[in-house]
Amino acid sequence: MAFVSATPEYIPETSKRHLAETYGCHCAVFLLSEWDNILGPVARRVWYNKHYAPVKDDVILSLSKHILNSELSATTRSRDFKEIQTKLEINNTDNVVVLSFIFYGVVKKRCSILSAFSLLIPLAEFNVFLPLYDFVVDRVTWYIQVLRITQTGKMKEFGLESLQKEIHHLSHLLLQLKVAGLKQDIQIDSTLLANLHGVDLGFLSKAICSHLQTCGYSVVIGTDSGEINKMINTLALFIERKRRNLCLSCQGDGGGIVDESGSYEPGLILQGLRVQSSESTDEGKSNPDNPQTQPDGSTLVLSQPNLSDTILAPYPTTVVDLRTKEIGTTSSLNQHKQLRVKEQNSRLQDLWLRMEVGLERSFRSPDKSNELFPVEGGDTLILKLLSEVSTLDINFRSHYIEVFNQLIIRRALTLINYLDVVSRHGKLNLGASELIQLQKDLNYTNDSDVKLVLASAELLKPGIYYLLYGDLSDQFNQTRQFMTAMML
């Protein structure tokens, strides 16, 4: 017998909120639903985007019932209560696309209750939203993890207020991607490759090489938005067209992001940060508390306080500082995922302790998130490319770079097949000798070339980077899991 809810077909005004200054954002409604043992599915809080026509209460309630009822019928199976399940459904009847995050929140005497956080996207906006799907899922998943901690007992309203701030920030960020996001077609005139005369090719090759080795995730810091955007457009030529939707140019005084402080936004592939010209190189280097280069030469710390969240990005980040002509990376690709999970767990644990004690201050010790590893030099592939591009007519340079990108993809596919054969589908562990042999067999001149192609292979087959550069303690298990997935 079908379940009949006792919930009235309207949403109380106390549960409704309106988001200000979010005109043009892809999402029309943000919906937090909970399962009530008496009333059934309840729309606990609804956030409306004023840019779109108001969504009727009965439509929102109907979607809320559909999401939770369908999930409740599936909970007869054993399930991990820590899991956050993502569902994407197209509702042609109401002309909306529903992106739902199903999870168990902790409310009412710390009992688990089935909950769902949903984004209602107008069907007309879906094609524009789709390239941003992974970014939104990653960001909202983090919001829900925080909400679970702040959702306990007397702190529930605080949790909803915090969630509302994050929703507003996300809406504003999506709006900025519409306004200041890069186009898929980049004109060569807007890049440094239009005229290479007077360009420091050594610095540019290092920037491009490190940019590719970190899977395209880069931050450009400078004092002039025009110079920053030229570097951003140049680096964007070396990533896929569809990934350029997650790249943000630098706008005027505040940087190409929504935060008034001009801070870094984790999850964006390319972004620029404009700093005040008073933060000169001499000031940065003369300050012993914030050195550009550590005494031992192993790491460099840029005079930019807004990079602490780079550890939360999906991949390592390249930081290109146009002020000092220095380039650094946050970590290696094989280390980043472990460091990211460790940092997320640390932040959640600190939040839980603060909720328990009722203090605003953090228990976490200062981290070294702004510490960067210097990039030594550009690889031969990039140096050769820049040399060839400089001899071409400007009308053919964009096409030549597209051909180069296709060459990197073909090399990545070849590398994947090579590692599959050499490791015998994950039965053998790979080490330094196999890396040397790989360079000979596939005609790589140095280790930097291998890392560049291997990063491209990581985007095609996640986990392959561990085959050559993973930690020895877990490399064999990562190899076996990866090769097993390839054989399925």
Side-chain angles (χ1 to χ4, degrees), residues 138-264:
D138 187 71
R139 184 64 67 94
V140 174
T141 299
W142 173 252
Y143 294 163
I144 293 175
Q145 290 176 331
V146 173
L147 177 65
R148 278 172 162 171
I149 296 176
T150 58
Q151 207 179 21
T152 58
K154 59 182 180 180
M155 304 303 295
K156 185 174 182 179
E157 287 303 318
F158 172 79
L160 292 177
E161 291 175 3
S162 299
L163 178 61
Q164 179 168 318
K165 291 180 181 179
E166 299 294 357
I167 290 173
H168 185 272
H169 183 75
L170 176 62
S171 300
H172 222 216
L173 181 56
L174 294 176
L175 176 59
Q176 280 294 99
L177 286 171
K178 268 190 174 183
V179 176
L182 296 187
K183 306 299 180 183
Q184 291 195 1
D185 294 321
I186 298 177
Q187 300 299 321
I188 196 69
D189 292 336
S190 63
T191 71
L192 295 172
L193 301 182
N195 184 6
L196 289 173
H197 296 292
V199 176
D200 186 348
L201 294 182
F203 173 72
L204 182 58
S205 65
K206 284 200 298 182
I208 296 174
C209 176
S210 181
H211 170 68
L212 291 174
Q213 289 180 354
T214 55
C215 298
Y217 283 79
S218 299
V219 180
V220 181
I221 302 175
T223 57
D224 181 74
S225 58
E227 293 181 357
I228 294 174
N229 288 335
K230 270 200 170 185
M231 177 60 78
I232 288 177
N233 291 335
T234 303
L235 298 178
L237 289 174
F238 294 89
I239 61 178
E240 292 181 87
R241 289 173 176 265
K242 62 181 181 180
R243 299 182 71 208
R244 294 172 188 170
N245 292 328
L246 266 178
C247 300
L248 204 54
S249 60
C250 183
Q251 298 296 301
D253 297 331
I257 50 166
V258 298
D259 195 348
E260 289 140 354
S261 64
S263 62
Y264 167 83

Side-chain angles (χ1 to χ4, degrees), residues 16 20 54 56 67 74 102 108 119 188 201 216 225 265 291 301 428 433 455 458 476 480 487:
K16 297 181 180 181
K56 296 181 179 179
I67 294 168
I102 316 296
K108 294 181 180 180
L119 284 65
I188 196 69
L201 294 182
S225 58
E265 283 291 340
V301 180
L428 296 179
S433 60
E458 178 71 17
F476 184 74
R480 182 178 297 277
M487 297 173 65

Side-chain angles (χ1 to χ4, degrees), residues 95 141 153 210 225 289 338 364 374 401 453:
N95 291 322
T141 299
S210 181
S225 58
D289 296 327
Q338 297 176 3
R364 301 174 70 237
I401 294 173
V453 177

